[in-house]
Amino acid sequence: MRDDSRRQAVEHGLRPRVEVAGEPAILWNVYERMRRYHVPTVAVAVIEGGRVVWSATYGIDGSVRLPATNERFQAASLSKGVTGSLAAILAARRTIELDAPVDACLAPLTLPPGKQDAEHPVTLRNLLQHTSGATVNGFDGYAPGKSVPTPEQVVRGEASANSPAVVIATTPGSMYAYSGGGYTVAQIAVSHCAGASFADLMQREVLMPAGMRDSTFAQPLPASIPHASGHAADGKPVPGGANTYPELAAAGLWTTPDDLARWLIGVRDAEEGQPSFLPAEAARTMLAPGMNKYGLGVFISGEGEHRRFMHSGGNLGFKSSYVMFLESGNGVVVLTDGDNGSYLAGEFTKAVAAAYGWPDFTPRAVTRVKLDENVMARYVGHYRFDDADSRGDRDLSLIREGARWFLDLSDIGRTGLVPTSAQAFVAPETGYAVTVDDDGSLRVGSRVARKTPD
């Protein structure tokens, strides 16, 4: 399993989300980006033609292990796709029904009255496709030594749960709304109807048949199993190494890049009609896109050579992503132990895309324009977002140094800006579009920030 020349091209070919037309392309090596984002470890697996061609674990100290080590990482929301494959397998076997009201599989748990009714019930399919109307986007986990609630207590929002109760806030089937809470309801239902614990079901029906021998849904992970410790955006370790997530279906998988690559290959093989851990019927069910192009635990995008399934994930101190092209069988898994790992994963994926000739994931091109510096100067200063992000952060600054402009963000600090119109920038590292509105507010992507007094 060696592909040295292209591996080295990837390692030295990390690139931003945005490039400037007419200017030299920016290329970085993996270690300088790990230092930039304070990510101590990144573990990857590269797939070509339906097989892993190489995998590696990189350390911020400049080390590399080939192939990747068996150190486990929290996969966070990548767990949802593995959950989707379990549900599709059980549905193909008629152990569960995806389109029946889920209530019968929940007893003694009952969903609170909400927008569901006899004509619009909550089903496993709409829970797994984020169209059930369920609330609670994601979960914070529980620090070592803290009391960990049961999945039922999480859904009810009671006892030691640190998240609100899950409710059905919109009519099932009427709209897409990402919901880890809905996945926790599905976790309980699948376990009850199949008559086994969720972790045991996963081990028996997915992990072992797919060859994922270094993966588990054990939460917390036994200390004897080698695993990464999470790190905050500034590189400081997460207290105790990692939080515990009883919301297994949504966020509970511990895995390695090679194991997750085996799962990706197995799903693609099944859809191709090749031998796999899941039947072709289950793969087709899983990869059938619903609203927002979301299937059972995976996003599906593109047609023909562009058709792919993918997901990203984030638990405290861990960020991860994967993409798998269905026609070519090309893909990549990136697992990191840092809160800024999503930036690194995006840059690494673009490097793989370039080295292996993928039809997608090239940086977006923009044209640099000249600003009216005197007009824009009055917008320099400190801002606060109207809404906090997942970490509760709301502060940022717009900075000018001579002819250079920057955003100072709470996670990665300063990131350079390229002016794209009289009152707009783009941040090549993050891809954020930054616009100065006439009322003096700053729009960063879809979020609005307002200037604070000096």
Side-chain angles (χ1 to χ4, degrees):
M1 187 178 68
R2 298 186 71 86
D3 192 7
D4 289 345
S5 62
R6 287 192 291 182
R7 173 177 59 80
Q8 291 166 11
V10 171
E11 292 170 351
H12 295 276
L14 275 68
R15 57 197 64 205
R17 285 169 168 78
V18 175
E19 293 181 342
V20 182
E23 299 183 10
I26 296 172
L27 298 177
W28 302 296
N29 72 58
V30 63
Y31 301 111
E32 66 181 302
R33 301 314 281 169
M34 293 172 72
R35 293 190 293 270
R36 163 71 175 108
Y37 295 126
H38 307 293
V39 175
T41 315
V42 56
V44 305
V46 175
I47 306 163
E48 185 179 35
R51 65 184 184 91
V52 176
V53 289
W54 59 275
S55 68
T57 298
Y58 299 96
I60 199 169
D61 59 359
S63 63
V64 61
R65 294 282 298 276
L66 300 168
T69 67
N70 68 347
E71 185 178 44
R72 281 69 159 179
F73 291 73
Q74 285 195 346
S77 285
L78 306 194
S79 307
K80 292 180 174 70
V82 185
T83 295
S85 65
L86 171 64
I89 290 167
L90 296 178
R93 200 181 295 158
R94 306 297 184 260
T95 301
I96 61 173
E97 294 183 53
L98 291 175
D99 296 310
V102 76
D103 306 77
C105 286
L106 292 176
L109 178 70
T110 58
L111 288 175
K115 298 295 184 179
Q116 71 272 36
D117 57 32
E119 292 186 8
H120 304 93
V122 174
T123 68
L124 277 171
R125 191 187 302 274
N126 58 40
L127 286 165
L128 297 173
Q129 291 188 328
H130 300 301
T131 59
S132 68
T135 58
V136 185
N137 181 282
F139 301 101
D140 294 335
Y142 298 84
K146 296 289 186 181
S147 178
V148 178
T150 65
E152 290 80 2
Q153 290 170 329
V154 169
V155 169
R156 296 189 186 108
E158 53 185 40
S160 54
N162 59 11
S163 54
V166 178
V167 298
I168 307 303
T170 59
T171 302
S174 66
M175 63 179 289
Y176 173 93
Y178 192 90
S179 173
Y183 263 72
T184 308
V185 174
Q187 172 183 331
I188 296 165
V190 168
S191 178
H192 285 188
C193 270
S197 76
F198 189 82
D200 287 347
L201 282 170
M202 277 294 191
Q203 195 72 21
R204 184 178 74 221
E205 303 290 349
V206 178
L207 302 184
M208 292 308 294
M212 301 173 70
R213 292 176 177 81
D214 290 326
S215 300
T216 180
F217 277 82
Q219 288 280 347
L221 189 69
S224 60
I225 295 177
H227 63 279
S229 294
H231 295 80
D234 60 3
K236 293 179 181 178
V238 170
N243 279 1
T244 295
Y245 291 81
E247 308 89 359
L248 303 184
L253 176 64
W254 285 91
T255 193
T256 67
D258 287 285
D259 267 12
L260 201 54
R262 292 184 187 99
W263 176 81
L264 294 173
I265 293 166
V267 172
R268 188 250 180 178
D269 283 349
E271 204 212 29
E272 293 275 302
Q274 302 298 316
S276 179
F277 72 92
L278 76 170
E281 175 190 354
R284 288 192 295 269
T285 297
M286 180 183 163
L287 297 174
M291 291 183 183
N292 202 42
K293 299 181 180 179
Y294 201 87
L296 301 188
V298 294
F299 288 97
I300 301 105
S301 181
E303 300 292 339
E305 68 173 348
H306 304 277
R307 185 167 171 256
R308 59 194 182 268
F309 66 101
M310 54 196 175
H311 218 292
S312 60
N315 282 356
L316 180 67
F318 295 88
K319 296 293 183 290
S320 52
S321 68
Y322 66 73
V323 59
M324 183 70 176
F325 285 87
L326 287 157
E327 185 176 285
S328 65
N330 296 340
V332 66
V333 177
V334 185
L335 306 177
T336 80
D337 61 355
D339 266 340
N340 289 333
S342 56
Y343 300 114
L344 179 63
E347 294 171 3
F348 198 95
T349 298
K350 284 178 170 53
V352 174
Y356 287 82
W358 290 4
D360 298 289
F361 294 94
T362 56
R364 177 166 58 93
V366 300
T367 300
R368 185 188 295 271
V369 304
K370 185 174 177 58
L371 291 175
D372 186 328
E373 303 285 353
N374 293 328
V375 170
M376 291 298 292
R378 67 175 180 266
Y379 296 106
V380 168
H382 182 262
Y383 291 77
R384 296 207 83 200
F385 283 116
D386 289 349
D387 59 316
D389 67 9
S390 60
R391 294 181 295 270
D393 293 327
R394 294 177 58 190
D395 295 293
L396 74 160
S397 296
L398 180 63
I399 297 170
R400 175 189 175 188
E401 291 182 352
R404 302 174 67 195
W405 292 79
F406 303 88
L407 274 187
D408 192 0
L409 301 167
S410 57
D411 53 0
I412 62 172
R414 285 193 180 189
T415 183
L417 296 174
V418 173
T420 55
S421 75
Q423 292 182 261
F425 303 89
V426 67
E429 281 187 311
T430 66
Y432 295 156
V434 181
T435 305
V436 175
D437 289 341
D438 291 338
D439 65 359
S441 61
L442 202 65
R443 189 175 298 273
V444 182
S446 60
R447 301 176 71 198
V448 176
R450 304 188 189 280
K451 200 169 187 182
T452 61
D454 293 335

